[in-house]
Amino acid sequence: MPKRIRRWMPALVMGLMMVIPAGLLAREALLIGVEGAIGPASAAFVEDAVSAAEEQGAGLLILRLDTPGGLDTSMRSIVKAITASRVAVIGYVAPTGARAASAGTYILYACSVAAMAPGTNLGAATPVQLGGLPSPAPKPTTPASPDDTSDAEPAATPGESPDRTQPAEREPPAEASGDAGSRKAIHDAAAYIRSLAELHGRNADWAERSVREGESLSAEEALELGVVDLIAPDLDALLEALDGRSVRVGEARVVLETAGMQVVAREPSWKTRLLAIISDPNLAYILLLVGIYGLVYEFSNPGAVLPGTVGAVSLLLALYAFQLLPINYAGAGLILLGLALMIAEAFVPSFGALGLGGAATFVMGSLILIDTEVPGFGISLPLILGFALSSALLLFFVIGMALKAYRRPVTSGAEELVGAIGEAVSGFPGAGSVHLHGETWSARSERGIAPGARVRVVGRDGLTLLVEPVSDA
């Protein structure tokens, strides 16, 4: 082999090693599972998966959905990542029994291809952060004219055609009975999901009904109405159905080539798992209380270090989690007020009024702390009641013991010398010395005291004790 070829051989080998994996990855489809409530961790997981698929040159990114819904902000982050992806994103509601409800419906509509497994469902996309689906308003009644003396027209019997000459009464839309905030949220959500439906040519009218009226569909009904693109019982059938299909990716049309494509599952990173743990409302609530207790203990016992360190770290983690969650700051304020009232009960003789009021305030603040009705993002009621009861008992006990110790007579230091009993060593009257607490002190007395007699300290002049015989006390 010529020297020139041998010299360039390592570079050629390295080049081939870099080119071959990129070509092979185009024959791979990344698969991620989006399960449970849609939250900050779900959004971070999808965004990371989209970035990884683009960087590795994967042929597809499959989102296997099974969710009851989630937070609006997290859902919109996922939709933005999907619509901006340079790789085709396939939404697949699976396995059988799964659902893509509420926020999951928006995500499915945003995907290049929407697919479902048999026995799955989607829909019920009405925003629930503001209290859920409004109840219909009562049907208005039309007052009779003054000269109309006839009886009211009876209702039509089954099979009988109604009188078409009379104006039909329209049922008001569901959002008409809500307040202004609810109506704005519903109109915004309806326009948003309609735009996603039109982006990929799917049924936009039903998408809007799923928001305004909370409609849901099974997989077969969704396929019949053009809400989804196909039904596939498993991943192999999904890839087979996708082969040769033209889909929209960004602003371009792409023909999918999925025959023989390998599916590679991608697991969430440790950062995503940590975010999922921290952003759990129950854990964030626990971290908040641990942080408050730790700092209170540290401030009342300076130098303990460990409680203050644990409290500060827990409080910072809780604040980080709360800035990701829809927090009602009135609820946080009520929690702090409740703790303050329970602490004040130990200092003010209110016969339990402050303590009971503090416990009730604490519970009310905890109940409204998470400002959403999304499933999976509420704080457990047993957890709230358990913390309220244990907090009240702990604060009453600890602070009560501290007050008892504060009111107990002094048993050490200079103040404790007054009234102490000792033994005369020498002198007296005048200057002398006494034996007290295992030490010999300079003392002075105006009365005569024999050595060995018991004396009582009645005062102190610097380092000289003023004593008198115990018999004269």
Side-chain angles (χ1 to χ4, degrees), residues 274 276-288 318 321-322 383:
L274 179 62
I277 294 173
I278 293 177
S279 59
D280 181 84
N282 291 305
L283 182 60
Y285 178 71
I286 294 173
L287 289 174
L288 174 66
F322 285 152
L383 178 65

Side-chain angles (χ1 to χ4, degrees), residues 60-107:
L60 285 179
L61 175 61
I62 302 175
L63 270 62
R64 186 166 54 198
L65 297 170
D66 182 9
T67 173
L71 301 179
D72 179 75
T73 54
S74 300
M75 175 271 293
R76 289 178 184 261
S77 297
I78 293 176
V79 169
K80 290 177 183 177
I82 292 173
T83 54
S85 172
R86 299 192 301 271
V87 175
V89 180
I90 312 301
Y92 182 39
V93 186
T96 298
R99 56 178 171 167
S102 191
T105 304
Y106 295 82
I107 295 172

Side-chain angles (χ1 to χ4, degrees), residues 398-472:
V398 172
I399 299 178
M401 294 297 292
L403 285 179
K404 287 181 180 179
Y406 177 77
R407 294 167 181 168
R408 192 175 300 152
V410 179
T411 58
S412 62
E415 292 80 3
E416 187 271 338
L417 292 175
V418 179
I421 304 297
E423 181 181 334
V425 177
S426 63
F428 309 118
S433 59
V434 297
H435 190 71
L436 180 67
H437 292 171
E439 299 175 333
T440 301
W441 288 76
S442 298
R444 187 173 66 249
S445 177
E446 300 300 329
R447 309 179 67 85
I449 303 175
R454 299 180 68 203
V455 296
R456 184 190 306 274
V457 179
V458 296
R460 187 168 65 90
D461 182 12
L463 296 178
T464 302
L465 303 180
L466 305 179
V467 299
E468 65 180 9
V470 173
S471 60
D472 293 346

Side-chain angles (χ1 to χ4, degrees), residues 93-129:
V93 186
T96 298
R99 56 178 171 167
S102 191
T105 304
Y106 295 82
I107 295 172
L108 190 63
Y109 262 99
C111 294
S112 301
V113 176
M116 300 178 72
T120 57
N121 65 282
L122 82 164
T126 305
V128 297
Q129 284 86 345

Side-chain angles (χ1 to χ4, degrees), residues 253-265:
R253 302 293 299 185
V254 176
V255 177
L256 301 179
E257 298 178 2
T258 59
M261 184 173 286
Q262 299 295 320
V263 178
V264 179

Side-chain angles (χ1 to χ4, degrees), residues 36-370:
I38 301 295
S42 305
F45 185 30
V46 174
E47 291 170 354
D48 291 344
V50 170
S51 299
E54 293 176 344
E55 293 174 359
Q56 299 173 7
L60 285 179
L61 175 61
I62 302 175
L63 270 62
R64 186 166 54 198
L65 297 170
D66 182 9
T67 173
L71 301 179
D72 179 75
T73 54
S74 300
M75 175 271 293
R76 289 178 184 261
S77 297
I78 293 176
V79 169
K80 290 177 183 177
I82 292 173
T83 54
S85 172
R86 299 192 301 271
V87 175
V89 180
I90 312 301
Y92 182 39
V93 186
T96 298
R99 56 178 171 167
S102 191
T105 304
Y106 295 82
I107 295 172
L108 190 63
Y109 262 99
C111 294
S112 301
V113 176
M116 300 178 72
T120 57
N121 65 282
L122 82 164
T126 305
V128 297
Q129 284 86 345
L130 298 176
L133 184 64
S135 57
K139 181 182 288 188
T141 57
T142 304
S145 60
D147 56 350
D148 187 5
T149 57
S150 63
D151 294 333
E153 182 180 358
T157 58
E160 180 181 352
S161 300
D163 186 2
R164 297 299 181 184
T165 62
Q166 299 295 329
E169 293 182 349
R170 292 182 176 272
E171 186 73 21
E175 67 269 19
S177 61
D179 57 13
S182 299
R183 291 196 299 272
K184 287 181 180 179
I186 292 176
H187 290 324
D188 176 71
Y192 188 59
I193 199 170
R194 173 173 280 275
S195 67
L196 294 176
E198 294 172 348
L199 186 65
H200 298 290
R202 301 194 186 107
N203 191 330
D205 293 334
W206 182 88
E208 188 170 347
R209 288 201 304 273
S210 72
V211 173
R212 298 188 183 278
E213 303 174 17
E215 288 190 7
S216 296
L217 291 176
S218 66
E220 291 74 14
E221 292 172 332
L223 181 63
E224 181 180 352
L225 293 178
V227 175
V228 298
D229 301 309
L230 57 93
I231 294 179
D234 51 37
L235 288 174
D236 293 336
L238 176 64
L239 294 177
E240 182 179 353
L242 291 175
D243 190 41
R245 180 181 290 267
S246 175
V247 299
R248 175 173 178 167
V249 179
E251 298 297 329
R253 302 293 299 185
V254 176
V255 177
L256 301 179
E257 298 178 2
T258 59
M261 184 173 286
Q262 299 295 320
V263 178
V264 179
R266 178 180 175 85
E267 298 297 329
S269 63
W270 68 268
K271 292 182 180 179
T272 304
R273 291 192 182 97
L274 179 62
L275 181 60
I277 294 173
I278 293 177
S279 59
D280 181 84
N282 291 305
L283 182 60
Y285 178 71
I286 294 173
L287 289 174
L288 174 66
L289 297 182
V290 170
I292 293 174
Y293 291 152
L295 293 181
V296 168
Y297 186 88
E298 181 67 29
F299 290 150
S300 60
N301 299 272
V305 180
L306 180 60
T309 302
V310 174
V313 172
S314 299
L315 191 58
L316 289 175
L317 290 175
L319 294 177
Y320 174 73
F322 285 152
Q323 65 94 19
L324 299 173
L325 298 172
I327 295 300
N328 186 337
Y329 292 99
L334 287 174
I335 291 176
L336 297 177
L337 177 61
L339 292 175
L341 291 177
M342 286 188 283
I343 293 174
E345 175 63 33
F347 295 93
V348 179
S350 65
F351 304 100
L354 287 176
L356 293 177
T361 304
F362 178 87
V363 171
M364 287 189 295
S366 301
L367 290 174
I368 67 173
L369 180 62
I370 304 296

